[in-house]
Amino acid sequence: MTADRPAPRAGARTLYWFRNDLRLGDNPALAEACAASSALLPVFCHDPAQDAGTPWGFVRRGPHRQRFVHDSLSDLSNQLQARGSRLLQLSGRALDVLPALVRELQMDAVVTEDIAAPEERDEVQALRAAGLTVHTRDQSGLFEQADLPFAPTKVPDVFTAFRQAVEHAMVRVPDVLPVPERLPPVPAAPDDPARALPPASEDVRSSFPYATPGFAGGETAGLAHLQRYFQGPLARHYKATRNQLSGTNCSTKFSPWLACGALSARQIHAALQVHEAWAGASDGSRWIVFELLWREHFRLLHRRHGRALYRARGLSNLPAPPHHAAAFARWRQGNTGEPLVDAGMRELAATGYLSNRLRQVVASFLIHDLACDWRAGAAWFESTLVDFDVHSNQGNWLYIAGRGTDPRGGRRFNVEKQTRDHDADGAYRALWLT
């Protein structure tokens, strides 16, 4: 399915609905809306469903991600105010709050990011069914869909085939767009209530200390981190350090800002190109591109398979997975008796972050050793991870479970081997189990 171009008529009064694109730079939908509109109202909806309970016994969005999104919105609000605009934050589902606001302020159209996941697609369709004109644009991926050598419904299921196809076609990453030169005047709108969260209590052991300025939510901190990362030798060493279990410099740490859209994949790619221009390409810098392609593949798989990715059997013909509630509870609490797994789960709960290596290890252990439902694990990651991304989270859990597009039919990690390979001296286990 191809997203609509966000093209309100010239001189339109436009409501810009921020979703997972909490940035002003490299935001094509916002740029085009600004260029066309005589008035523009930026809005964010705090959907209560995001903070509701799940069937698995915990809230859908826990305190770590809640704090990071809150800080990202605060930064976005400040940037809009500095440019003579404002961010109106509303409490309620988009369907419950936007139609009335559009009619009250006599807005002509809603412009927003297109997100291929089912719930997000349903939100847009519900607004259209309510009579609103909604223009959407896919804008948080690496490529323009029209430039790909295949239709969205024909995206190769296997990552290697996808990567080879885009490399062979030499698909170009579009240039990064600057912040719009002008933001149209804001129409008179109701004030939104102040939103406050208790101060973040950061664990000093965290590999992503989001309570500190350098790792805070928002475009400002994200761009500063992007510049800092590529100024030194970290990118050159990325491939060698990416499987380390803890530390702020062992991996890029771009994912939390990517997840809420405070950074775009194209901004990262552009910064990497600048880095390679003066430092030269390296195994590490090329592996960062590899990781961006993995992210892109998971996003495009949603356009091909949609709701099928959310079935118990996923894309497979396997029976529904088993589930053992008691074993799942022990896994969540870090009380399985497997030291590496328990250390990882305790870090995740305490900080909202976990290395990619350990995400695979603990997911494999839940599915293949504890015989629990992969969907419960995916929901726990959604609740706890500060960098939760619906496309990558769903894709990775299906991949480990053998119910997605892994040509090997799933991945089972030997915990003893992983411990020998990645925590031979016991430093990580000692950090989180004492």
Side-chain angles (χ1 to χ4, degrees), residues 187-357:
D191 290 331
D192 51 325
R195 290 176 174 81
L197 291 176
S201 56
E202 189 70 71
D203 193 303
V204 296
R205 299 167 292 180
S206 177
S207 292
F208 191 87
Y210 60 81
T212 62
F215 293 89
E219 184 176 13
T220 301
L223 289 172
H225 177 77
L226 180 65
Q227 183 180 29
R228 182 172 62 248
Y229 185 84
F230 283 119
Q231 276 182 338
L234 294 176
R236 177 169 294 278
H237 301 304
Y238 170 74
K239 187 176 181 182
T241 63
R242 66 188 181 90
N243 280 319
Q244 293 177 9
L245 303 187
S246 63
T248 56
N249 289 332
C250 58
S251 61
T252 66
K253 300 299 189 294
F254 298 145
S255 59
W257 290 291
L258 274 172
C260 66
L263 280 181
S264 76
R266 294 171 189 175
Q267 287 174 317
I268 293 171
H269 187 267
L272 184 147
Q273 285 186 309
V274 172
H275 166 83
E276 290 187 336
W278 67 264
S282 63
D283 286 348
S285 63
R286 289 294 88 195
W287 203 269
I288 294 172
V289 176
F290 184 80
E291 300 287 8
L292 288 173
L293 290 175
W294 262 112
R295 177 182 183 270
E296 192 79 355
H297 189 229
F298 282 138
R299 300 175 75 81
L300 290 169
L301 286 176
H302 268 71
R303 297 193 177 276
R304 175 168 181 174
H305 295 292
R307 295 182 194 279
L309 297 170
Y310 295 78
R311 300 181 302 199
R313 63 184 175 91
L315 303 180
S316 75
N317 292 317
L318 296 171
H323 190 63
H324 302 284
F328 178 60
R330 292 196 304 272
W331 178 81
R332 282 174 47 205
Q333 296 158 5
N335 290 320
T336 68
E338 183 58 65
L340 186 65
V341 171
D342 290 346
M345 296 308 295
R346 293 181 193 185
E347 179 190 9
L348 175 59
T351 72
Y353 192 81
L354 195 62
S355 68
N356 182 63
R357 171 60 52 176

Side-chain angles (χ1 to χ4, degrees), residues 19-292:
R19 302 172 87 189
N20 285 339
D21 56 341
L22 305 184
R23 63 185 184 274
L24 299 186
D26 198 41
N27 190 322
L30 178 64
E32 292 177 16
C34 287
S37 302
S38 62
L40 185 135
L41 178 61
V43 174
F44 183 86
C45 298
H46 291 270
D47 188 341
Q50 289 296 310
D51 301 311
T54 69
W56 310 104
F58 46 84
V59 296
R60 185 169 184 182
R61 182 177 62 178
H64 299 299
R65 186 157 62 93
Q66 188 180 45
R67 163 59 63 180
F68 197 77
V69 171
H70 173 275
D71 292 348
S72 298
L73 287 167
S74 294
D75 182 73
L76 177 63
S77 179
N78 291 338
Q79 292 202 58
L80 287 167
Q81 288 180 10
R83 292 165 174 82
S85 186
R86 63 170 290 202
L87 179 66
L88 176 61
Q89 299 188 52
L90 301 174
S91 295
R93 296 187 308 161
L95 179 61
D96 294 334
V97 297
L98 292 188
L101 182 65
V102 165
R103 294 179 183 115
E104 176 188 352
L105 301 182
Q106 298 182 322
M107 309 302 284
D108 297 306
V110 174
V111 173
T112 192
E113 174 192 19
D114 178 57
I115 303 174
E119 285 186 10
E120 288 79 359
R121 280 282 171 83
D122 288 348
E123 287 182 309
V124 171
Q125 292 305 319
L127 290 178
R128 287 172 172 158
L132 300 191
T133 299
V134 183
H135 303 287
T136 64
R137 192 191 201 285
D138 173 46
Q139 61 177 14
S140 291
L142 194 60
F143 304 120
E144 290 286 357
Q145 291 182 51
D147 295 336
L148 294 170
F150 37 72
T153 55
K154 301 294 185 181
V155 175
D157 277 341
V158 177
F159 171 73
T160 300
F162 161 77
R163 177 181 59 79
Q164 291 173 343
V166 297
E167 289 175 348
H168 179 74
M170 293 186 290
V171 181
R172 188 182 70 88
V173 178
D175 294 336
V176 169
L177 295 181
V179 174
E181 291 185 2
R182 73 170 187 93
L183 287 169
V186 180
D191 290 331
D192 51 325
R195 290 176 174 81
L197 291 176
S201 56
E202 189 70 71
D203 193 303
V204 296
R205 299 167 292 180
S206 177
S207 292
F208 191 87
Y210 60 81
T212 62
F215 293 89
E219 184 176 13
T220 301
L223 289 172
H225 177 77
L226 180 65
Q227 183 180 29
R228 182 172 62 248
Y229 185 84
F230 283 119
Q231 276 182 338
L234 294 176
R236 177 169 294 278
H237 301 304
Y238 170 74
K239 187 176 181 182
T241 63
R242 66 188 181 90
N243 280 319
Q244 293 177 9
L245 303 187
S246 63
T248 56
N249 289 332
C250 58
S251 61
T252 66
K253 300 299 189 294
F254 298 145
S255 59
W257 290 291
L258 274 172
C260 66
L263 280 181
S264 76
R266 294 171 189 175
Q267 287 174 317
I268 293 171
H269 187 267
L272 184 147
Q273 285 186 309
V274 172
H275 166 83
E276 290 187 336
W278 67 264
S282 63
D283 286 348
S285 63
R286 289 294 88 195
W287 203 269
I288 294 172
V289 176
F290 184 80
E291 300 287 8
L292 288 173

